[in-house]
């Protein structure tokens, strides 16, 4: 698959293998996941000390991989001028890897650390719940993530198993390659053919691509959630024609544009339909947010099955247009790469479902009565919010920006468009039910982002200001969710500077005053919230982040962006492998004035924060010894200090690739985030000027004079501490 996008400066490539954890041996849960890890960290054939991850860090690219139940993919983004070298390097590694016993041992430990970090996450709980809906005789009746116990310590056994699994599954009969870049289609086609020739043909005894049905007749399962949700699942036939699967994908896309809003009860506040969701890729999924009893879910499942069957039959009855080959990302796409990688995985999955053209018979609708399963979130119903004091409250001052701020230079299409963006500090904006879908029906794109430190919304399209006024008048405020994502991700959110007052950005001043007043009215209802530590009963895990802050001049912002790129690989290696600080080990920057750089790890070896300066060790966790906060802080300090001492020669090489936005919505989000962070120019618009040796030396000297270092701690009970 390929798509040409002339405006891109980076190429996005996915190499997907039609093999996942439901293809691995029953005796080695997690083997497919382990192979994914080993492929990205094992030495390359051309170099004994460079892995794929290292190669990409040296070429201003990024690479990641994902193992699902039926598909494993390695995907990467790279400057377009490096596309050929990157594509052939990755394809060669996937086709002809060299398995090292030392790498296998290290990655078993890494998978175990990942398991420890994620085992209580909603995603892992969802996988376990899906497993309970599977036939007990099917391999899918177990959660297949893998850990040190399931994979064991017999390296020779794992080496043989990885070799056999790779031989049976990583061959030309299972590979799908997808590229989107600014290159000409003929050039991309030639590159894909060169990549494909690196893979061996399937062996005569290679396992079949056929999918074995895994679902039993159990209609539902409970799943622990941090919010009230229901996920309805309709199993797909084990063999389905490609155009029928395409019709199901179109069904999901169109339903997300609001076509179900009239069929849902008032208690449902949001929904999302997905073909082939992660962990249950042989299903059609509908996730509902809101409240519903089990009896209501049963009735809703029956009614929606009928509605979806009718909609699918109508859409499936249309003649497939073989000439309609232009890929369009969803309207609310901010980052193009994830949307492209999702599309690539879906196409790889289609190979496992697809029946031969001669067998294209009308398929039974997957939405037949009684075919639905569901996962019910068992989070307690939240207490009713306290009544707002009826006494008059002074309206807060709203910081306001009006105008395009040159986003039309990033995307010419924005010159004739309209938008409005609003931010509220210290609270989560809760729109009225089904807002995104109702706006989609009006041709308006809606985007929201929330963190423990504030919440913002953007609407883009005709009559954006009018739509924003209606949104704000019908919205409420809620306490921010302090337990969203991994602990390390929660700490990284603190890197972005945010204003202490409500903020507004509109493209046109028509009704701008009305929008400002509506935002002030909503923000005046902010109450002080006390965050409850709802995770205190879980085994302790701790995230630690050391941050560097600078005032935020353009040169300083470029410097920290450059340091993020060049420090990432070395920090990952030292924190994760040399010092064994945990599964997560990453460098992230927060752009703005001030600008920040964070070095974050997450470990299950440390216990709960008892006092600033000390960690209590849980008796049952790995290591069997006390780990003091001071010891971990000293390790982080030694790593980061060493990185900056060697930065002069490393940073001389080049400035970071300042990637321009790839979608109109991403251009708006980048400019909006820049305004909120105290600047007017997003990083990519600062230019690609060189930093000469003397200027770089002067900048580096500011690390010690103007730089401000802090260490942040967050544990799984929600306790936060910072050393200044």
């Amino acid at each position: 698959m390929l798509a040409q996008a002339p405006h891109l400066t980076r190429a996005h490539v996915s190499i997907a293998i039609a093999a996942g954890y439901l293809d691995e041996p029953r005796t080695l849960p997690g083997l497919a996941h382990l192979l994914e890890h080993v492929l990205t960290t094992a030495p390359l054939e051309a170099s004994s000390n460079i892995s794929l991850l290292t190669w990409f860090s040296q070429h201003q690219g990024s690479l990641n991989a994902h193992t699902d139940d039926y598909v494993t993919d390695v995907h990467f983004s790279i400057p377009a001028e490096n596309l050929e070298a990157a594509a052939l390097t990755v394809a060669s590694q996937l086709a002809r890897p060299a398995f090292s016993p030392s790498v296998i041992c290290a990655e078993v430990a890494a998978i175990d650390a990942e398991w420890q970090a994620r085992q209580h996450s909603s995603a892992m709980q969802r996988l376990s719940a899906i497993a309970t809906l599977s036939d007990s005789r099917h391999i899918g009746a177990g959660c297949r993530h893998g850990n040190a116990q399931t994979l064991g310590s017999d390296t020779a056994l794992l080496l043989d198993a990885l070799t056999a699994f790779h031989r049976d599954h990583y061959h030309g009969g299972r590979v799908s390659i997808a590229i989107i870049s600014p290159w000409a289609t003929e050039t991309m086609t030639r590159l894909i053919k060169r990549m494909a020739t690196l893979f061996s043909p399937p062996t005569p005894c290679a396992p079949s691509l056929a999918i074995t049905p895994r679902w039993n007749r159990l209609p539902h399962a409970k799943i622990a959630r941090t919010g009230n949700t229901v996920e309805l699942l309709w199993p797909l036939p084990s063999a389905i024609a490609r155009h029928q699967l395409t019709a199901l994908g179109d069904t999901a896309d169109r339903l997300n544009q609001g076509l179900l809003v009239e069929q849902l009860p008032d208690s449902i506040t949001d929904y999302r339909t997905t073909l082939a969701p992660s962990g249950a890729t042989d299903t059609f999924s509908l996730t509902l947010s809101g409240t519903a009893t089990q009896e209501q879910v049963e009735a809703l499942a029956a009614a929606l099955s009928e509605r979806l069957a009718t909609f699918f039959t109508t859409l499936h009855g249309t003649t497939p247009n073989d000439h309609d080959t232009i890929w369009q990302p969803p309207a609310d796409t901010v980052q193009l790469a994830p949307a492209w990688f999702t599309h690539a995985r879906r196409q790889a999955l289609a190979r496992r479902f697809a029946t031969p053209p001669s067998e294209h018979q009308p398929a039974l609708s997957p939405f037949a009565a009684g075919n639905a399963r569901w996962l019910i979130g068992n989070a307690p119903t939240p207490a009713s919010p306290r009544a707002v004091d009826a006494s008059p409250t002074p309206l807060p001052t709203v910081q306001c920006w009006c105008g395009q701020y040159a986003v039309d230079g990033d995307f010419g299409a924005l010159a004739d468009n309209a938008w409005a963006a609003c931010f509220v500090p210290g609270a989560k904006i809760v729109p009225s039910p089904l807002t995104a879908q109702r706006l989609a029906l009006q041709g308006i794109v809606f985007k929201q982002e929330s963190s423990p430190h504030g919440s913002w919304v953007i609407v883009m399209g005709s009559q954006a200001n009018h739509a924003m006024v209606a949104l704000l008048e019908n919205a409420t405020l809620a306490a921010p969710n302090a337990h969203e994502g991994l602990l390390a991700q929660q700490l990284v959110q603190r890197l972005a500077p945010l204003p202490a007052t409500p903020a507004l950005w509109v493209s046109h001043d028509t009704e701008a005053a009305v929008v400002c007043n509506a935002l002030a009215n909503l923000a005046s209802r902010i109450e002080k919230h006390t965050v409850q530590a709802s995770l205190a009963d879980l085994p302790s895990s701790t995230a630690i982040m050391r941050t560097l802050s600078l005032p935020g001049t353009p040169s300083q912002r470029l410097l920290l962006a450059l340091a993020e790129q060049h420090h990432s690989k070395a920090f990952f290696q030292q924190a994760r492998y040399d010092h064994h600080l945990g599964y997560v080990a990453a460098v992230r920057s927060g752009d703005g004035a001030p600008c920040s750089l964070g070095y974050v790890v997450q470990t299950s070896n440390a216990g709960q924060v008892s006092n600033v300066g000390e960690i209590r060790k849980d008796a049952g966790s790995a290591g069997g010894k006390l780990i003091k906060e001071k010891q971990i802080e000293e390790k982080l300090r030694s790593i980061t200090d060493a990185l900056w001492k060697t930065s002069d020669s490393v940073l001389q090489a080049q400035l970071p690739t300042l990637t321009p936005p790839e979608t109109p919505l991403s251009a708006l989000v980048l400019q909006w985030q820049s305004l909120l962070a105290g600047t007017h120019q997003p990083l990519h618009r600062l230019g690609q000027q060189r930093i000469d040796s003397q200027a770089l030396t002067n900048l580096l000297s500011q690390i010690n004079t103007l730089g401000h270092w802090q260490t942040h701690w967050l544990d799984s009970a929600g306790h936060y501490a910072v050393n200044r």
Side-chain angles (χ1 to χ4, degrees):
M1 295 171 291
L2 57 88
Q4 183 189 28
H7 72 285
L8 297 184
T9 61
R10 296 172 74 82
H12 308 300
V13 182
S14 170
I15 302 180
I17 311 294
Y21 59 75
L22 296 187
D23 296 296
E24 62 196 12
R26 284 183 176 274
T27 55
L28 286 173
L31 185 70
H33 190 190
L34 176 61
L35 178 56
E36 170 225 305
H37 274 240
V38 170
L39 288 170
T40 56
T41 58
L44 299 177
E45 185 179 27
S47 176
S48 61
N49 60 353
I50 294 180
S51 67
L52 279 181
L53 292 175
T54 303
W55 193 95
F56 274 83
S57 71
Q58 294 174 346
H59 291 82
Q60 300 190 15
S62 61
L63 176 139
N64 210 335
H66 177 71
T67 303
D68 214 322
D69 46 4
Y70 288 112
V71 173
T72 298
D73 68 300
V74 177
H75 48 268
F76 60 88
S77 298
I78 195 79
E81 60 269 23
N82 296 332
L83 169 57
E84 181 176 4
L88 295 175
T89 298
V90 176
S92 177
Q93 175 71 344
L94 297 188
R96 297 190 300 267
F99 295 126
S100 162
S102 61
V103 171
I104 292 173
C105 289
E107 292 311 318
V108 169
I111 284 178
D112 190 65
E114 179 181 350
W115 167 258
Q116 299 297 335
R118 296 182 181 274
Q119 63 176 320
H120 298 292
S121 68
S122 59
M124 291 302 296
Q125 292 166 354
R126 174 179 170 273
L127 279 181
S128 295
I130 288 173
T132 67
L133 296 177
S134 300
D135 189 306
S136 59
R137 296 164 296 179
H138 192 276
I139 194 171
C143 187
R144 310 291 295 185
H145 179 283
N147 53 51
Q149 183 176 355
T150 66
L151 291 168
S153 57
D154 188 336
T155 306
L157 172 66
L158 287 176
L159 177 59
D160 290 343
L162 288 172
T163 302
F165 191 83
H166 181 272
R167 180 195 63 234
D168 291 342
H169 298 90
Y170 280 65
H171 54 70
R174 288 177 176 256
V175 176
S176 296
I177 301 172
I179 301 178
I180 183 170
S181 82
W183 285 18
T185 55
E186 296 83 0
T187 308
M188 283 190 284
T189 300
R190 286 195 295 270
L191 177 59
I192 286 179
K193 289 181 178 179
R194 290 180 63 191
M195 295 167 66
T197 59
L198 296 173
F199 290 89
S200 302
T203 61
C205 57
S208 167
L209 280 166
I211 290 176
T212 303
R214 63 170 163 178
W215 303 95
N216 67 13
R217 300 311 304 171
L218 186 67
H220 61 82
K222 292 282 188 180
I223 178 170
R225 295 267 183 166
T226 56
N228 291 289
T229 60
V230 175
E231 183 175 8
L232 297 169
L233 300 166
W234 286 270
L236 302 178
S238 57
I240 186 170
R242 182 179 290 270
H243 77 272
Q244 294 164 345
L245 198 68
T246 299
L248 283 169
D250 292 342
T251 299
D253 294 340
R254 297 191 188 187
L255 291 173
N256 287 330
Q257 299 304 304
L259 296 183
L260 278 183
V261 293
E262 301 303 328
Q263 279 71 41
L264 298 175
D266 294 339
S267 60
I268 300 302
T269 59
D270 195 13
Y271 76 84
R272 188 76 182 176
T273 53
T274 309
L275 174 63
S278 180
T281 54
D282 51 352
T283 67
F284 186 97
S285 166
L286 173 59
T287 302
L288 304 171
S289 300
T291 58
T293 65
Q294 184 168 316
E295 291 75 17
Q296 290 173 321
V297 172
E298 291 179 6
L300 192 57
L304 288 174
S305 294
E306 183 177 352
R307 168 66 173 149
L308 292 173
T310 302
F311 191 86
F312 172 67
T313 301
T314 302
L315 192 59
H316 175 252
T318 60
T319 303
N321 185 0
D322 294 332
H323 302 290
D324 186 14
T325 58
I326 298 177
W327 175 73
Q328 290 289 345
D332 60 352
T333 297
V334 174
Q335 296 180 317
L336 193 59
W340 178 249
F341 299 149
T342 297
H343 174 67
R345 279 193 294 270
R346 181 185 292 181
Q347 294 304 308
L349 183 68
R351 297 185 64 184
R352 301 204 65 164
F353 280 109
T355 54
S358 60
E359 299 178 17
H360 279 187
Q361 301 298 325
L364 293 175
S365 169
F367 309 110
N371 198 32
R373 279 85 168 156
W374 56 87
L375 307 176
I376 302 177
N378 62 357
T381 303
S384 300
R386 299 189 302 273
V388 178
D389 190 346
S391 60
T393 303
L395 295 182
T397 301
V398 175
Q399 189 174 3
C400 185
W401 299 277
C402 182
Q404 294 202 335
Y405 284 87
V407 294
D408 55 331
D410 292 331
F411 260 92
L414 292 172
D416 300 318
N417 215 324
W419 60 84
C422 292
F423 167 78
V424 175
K428 181 178 180 179
I429 300 173
V430 182
S432 60
L434 305 175
T435 289
Q437 293 82 5
R438 295 184 191 279
L439 288 175
L441 288 173
Q442 304 171 38
I444 294 177
V445 176
F446 168 83
K447 195 70 179 179
Q448 179 174 17
E449 186 171 298
S450 298
S451 79
H453 319 292
S455 175
W456 57 256
V457 293
I458 286 182
V459 294
M460 179 178 68
S462 178
Q463 302 296 315
N465 285 357
H466 177 75
M468 181 61 83
V469 170
L471 186 157
L472 294 173
E473 289 178 345
N474 292 287
T476 59
L477 295 179
N481 189 345
H483 299 296
E484 205 164 279
L486 291 177
L487 298 176
Q489 294 168 338
Q490 296 174 35
L491 276 186
V492 167
Q493 290 174 333
R494 297 178 180 272
L495 289 172
L498 293 171
T501 59
L504 166 69
W505 176 35
V506 292
S507 57
H508 299 81
D509 57 8
T510 306
E511 292 186 327
V514 180
V515 181
C516 187
N517 187 62
L519 176 59
N521 279 321
L522 177 65
S524 69
R525 302 200 292 271
I526 293 179
E527 297 184 49
K528 298 297 181 183
H529 303 286
T530 301
V531 177
Q532 300 297 321
S534 60
L535 305 181
D537 57 334
L538 297 182
S540 183
S541 184
T542 305
I544 311 104
M545 179 173 67
R546 189 171 190 230
T547 61
L548 167 65
S549 296
L550 288 168
T553 66
S555 295
Q556 291 168 351
R557 295 167 64 196
L558 285 170
L559 175 67
L560 293 193
L562 181 57
E564 175 186 10
Q565 181 180 102
H566 283 284
H567 289 182
S568 290
K569 180 260 176 181
F571 181 76
F572 178 88
Q573 173 66 36
Q574 295 176 48
R576 184 160 166 179
Y577 291 108
D578 298 347
H579 294 282
H580 305 288
L581 294 185
Y583 164 64
V584 176
V587 184
R588 295 289 183 266
S589 62
D591 186 48
C595 55
S596 299
L597 192 64
Y599 304 82
V600 62
V601 298
Q602 182 171 329
T603 176
S604 59
N605 293 339
Q608 178 177 324
V609 174
S610 54
N611 293 296
V612 174
E614 185 173 315
I615 292 282
R616 280 205 312 273
K617 184 71 178 62
D618 285 344
S621 57
K625 63 178 181 178
L626 290 174
I627 299 180
K628 301 293 184 180
E629 181 193 65
K630 193 65 177 176
Q631 294 174 317
I632 300 178
E633 184 178 0
E634 286 175 355
K635 288 182 180 180
L636 279 177
R637 183 187 299 272
S638 67
I639 295 172
T640 53
D641 287 350
L643 288 173
W644 279 104
K645 286 177 182 177
T646 60
S647 289
D648 199 346
S649 59
V650 175
L651 297 180
Q652 288 286 4
Q654 55 189 350
L655 282 172
T657 301
L658 302 178
T659 306
E662 297 181 341
T663 66
L665 187 56
S666 68
L668 292 184
V669 169
L670 287 172
Q671 178 62 46
W672 175 228
Q673 290 173 331
S674 183
L675 292 172
L676 292 177
T679 70
H680 286 83
Q681 289 284 338
L683 189 64
H684 71 276
R685 285 205 234 124
L686 293 183
Q688 296 278 7
Q689 69 266 27
R690 304 288 298 178
I691 300 179
D692 60 37
S693 178
Q694 184 57 49
L696 181 58
T697 300
N698 294 338
L699 274 174
L700 292 174
S701 69
Q702 296 176 9
I703 302 302
N704 295 322
T705 57
L706 300 176
H708 180 56
W709 287 95
Q710 290 182 315
T711 302
H712 307 252
W713 294 77
L714 181 67
D715 75 358
S716 54
H719 301 129
Y720 170 73
V722 58
N723 287 347
R724 299 185 182 276

